[in-house]
Amino acid sequence: MKVRLGLFFVASVALLFVGLTVQAQDLGPGFHKIKDGIYTFAPDQTTTTCSFAVTEAGVVMIDSCNSPLDSRRMAAAIKKVTDKPIMFLIDTETHSDHTGNHFIFSPSATVINAEGAGAGMRKEYNPKRAETLAAQSPEMREALKGEKMIPPHIEYKDRMTINLGERTFELIYLKNVHSFADTAIWMPKERVLFASSAANVRTFINLRPTVVLPDVIASYKLMKSLNPEVVIAGHGQPTTTIIFDEYEGFYNLLMKRVGEMAAQGKSLDEIKKELKMPEYTDWQGQDRLAVNIDAAYKSVKK
Ligand SMILES: [Zn+2]
């Protein structure tokens, strides 16, 4: 009996240990373990990231993943790590590659983003999204079961703090940086920052007309001032504050060049034809230079 109890004890401790140390590779390709209980799913350099943090009181997710297939992978990964429910799903922006798959996690998740997020999602909602995706494959069609748009249940203004279990999540509204409502999520104890799509990883961002470059640069200064150890951008692999320096350098140089050409009397179209950024030829999304010039032109003409 004693031996059996001993064996039982050893087995239980081993199980507990296994439960606590789920490695990223156990969750599948594209998963990264950021810290104990914090994981990011970043399939490649450009695909939308989505993440989760386990607490004693449940799970907090950041973004709902790029495609419903990715979201199903995410849901399966969370189940491997914990049997606790997903309590909150925080969006870092309004675009459908981050918000289109809320339905897979909610219920149970309460969806949160900054003020204006629901209106932004409705404005950009593509009623054909599910139909178009479903045509890709039978697996995708299956993953789309129950598809519907779920705008945030809670919208906050400027700042919001979520205390769940042993963890704290500070939500910070970033103005004019990417979509209709952008949120950075700061975990002060773990020093992990989810930076939204204000910066990505060495990729030209598809800057919408609402983006204001000086506000974007201000958001970098704010996020850097938190002194994070790990930075998770809206797209790309986990990184550090180096992305804020890289993008700040890029936008400053772009605004300088656009400003000089505008001062020479060149039109926006002429600038778009002539301006090159040879220092950044290794960045992805080169075809987006034109919309970056639009944003820079708007800033220097102010
Ligand atoms: Zn976006």
Side-chain angles (χ1 to χ4, degrees):
M1 191 62 197
K2 230 181 186 176
V3 173
R4 279 202 177 172
L5 258 180
L7 269 178
F8 179 72
F9 179 73
V10 169
S12 307
V13 170
L15 255 177
L16 190 71
F17 188 68
V18 167
L20 284 175
T21 57
V22 174
Q23 294 302 314
Q25 63 264 29
D26 303 330
L27 302 181
F31 280 89
H32 303 259
K33 183 176 178 175
I34 306 301
K35 299 243 166 160
D36 271 342
I38 305 175
Y39 298 85
T40 287
F41 183 36
D44 54 51
Q45 190 57 27
T46 51
T47 301
T48 315
T49 56
C50 50
S51 310
F52 69 97
V54 182
T55 82
E56 293 158 0
V59 176
V60 174
M61 267 190 79
I62 320 289
D63 288 333
S64 71
C65 312
N66 184 58
S67 81
L69 279 177
D70 286 345
S71 305
R72 301 285 178 194
R73 281 181 200 117
M74 185 63 157
I78 294 172
K79 278 212 177 92
K80 276 187 190 171
V81 176
T82 180
D83 55 6
K84 293 196 164 69
I86 303 165
M87 303 296 288
F88 299 108
L89 198 178
I90 308 165
D91 289 333
T92 63
E93 61 168 274
T94 59
H95 298 149
S96 64
D97 56 324
H98 298 253
T99 62
N101 306 314
H102 288 163
F103 70 97
I104 292 176
F105 309 100
S106 181
S108 57
T110 297
V111 182
I112 306 173
N113 194 0
E115 192 175 36
M121 282 176 66
R122 285 187 192 94
K123 202 169 171 180
E124 293 191 322
Y125 181 64
N126 171 11
K128 292 224 155 92
R129 173 181 179 263
E131 198 185 313
T132 312
L133 280 173
Q136 288 180 6
S137 70
E139 294 77 23
M140 186 68 89
R141 183 174 296 278
E142 182 67 24
L144 276 156
K145 281 210 170 126
E147 194 272 345
K148 61 174 170 177
M149 186 187 58
I150 302 179
H153 303 104
I154 296 175
E155 295 191 358
Y156 72 94
K157 209 174 171 156
D158 296 325
R159 302 254 176 161
M160 180 184 197
T161 301
I162 296 174
N163 295 301
L164 189 69
E166 73 282 31
R167 297 198 201 267
T168 298
F169 303 82
E170 291 175 7
L171 282 57
I172 304 166
Y173 170 59
L174 304 176
K175 193 175 152 218
N176 300 335
V177 303
H178 180 68
S179 72
F180 287 109
D182 301 300
T183 293
I185 297 118
W186 170 231
M187 299 179 72
K189 280 175 268 187
E190 301 81 355
R191 310 208 70 74
V192 175
L193 175 72
F194 299 90
S196 83
S197 293
N200 288 165
V201 182
R202 299 178 79 81
T203 301
F204 289 115
I205 297 175
N206 184 12
L207 300 179
R208 308 312 199 273
T210 54
V211 172
V212 179
L213 285 184
D215 287 345
V216 173
I217 290 170
S219 83
Y220 299 156
K221 293 196 195 309
L222 187 154
M223 289 191 279
K224 265 180 79 173
S225 74
L226 300 167
N227 193 23
E229 192 185 314
V230 186
V231 176
I232 317 288
H235 298 252
Q237 306 295 304
T239 180
T240 65
T241 55
I242 193 167
I243 58 168
F244 302 136
D245 297 330
E246 287 178 345
Y247 274 87
E248 191 176 340
F250 170 69
Y251 288 137
N252 277 332
L253 185 59
L254 183 68
M255 284 192 286
K256 181 173 173 279
R257 285 185 182 152
V258 169
E260 284 165 359
M261 292 168 92
Q264 290 162 15
K266 289 191 167 133
S267 71
L268 177 58
D269 278 345
E270 285 169 329
I271 295 172
K272 278 185 183 169
K273 272 192 205 111
E274 290 173 29
L275 193 145
K276 299 275 178 292
M277 295 294 277
E279 302 85 352
Y280 296 90
T281 46
D282 60 332
W283 282 28
Q284 310 237 11
Q286 293 284 328
D287 56 329
R288 293 169 173 170
L289 179 58
V291 292
N292 280 253
I293 292 172
D294 282 332
Y297 188 79
K298 214 171 54 192
S299 298
V300 301
K301 275 287 182 185
K302 256 188 186 164

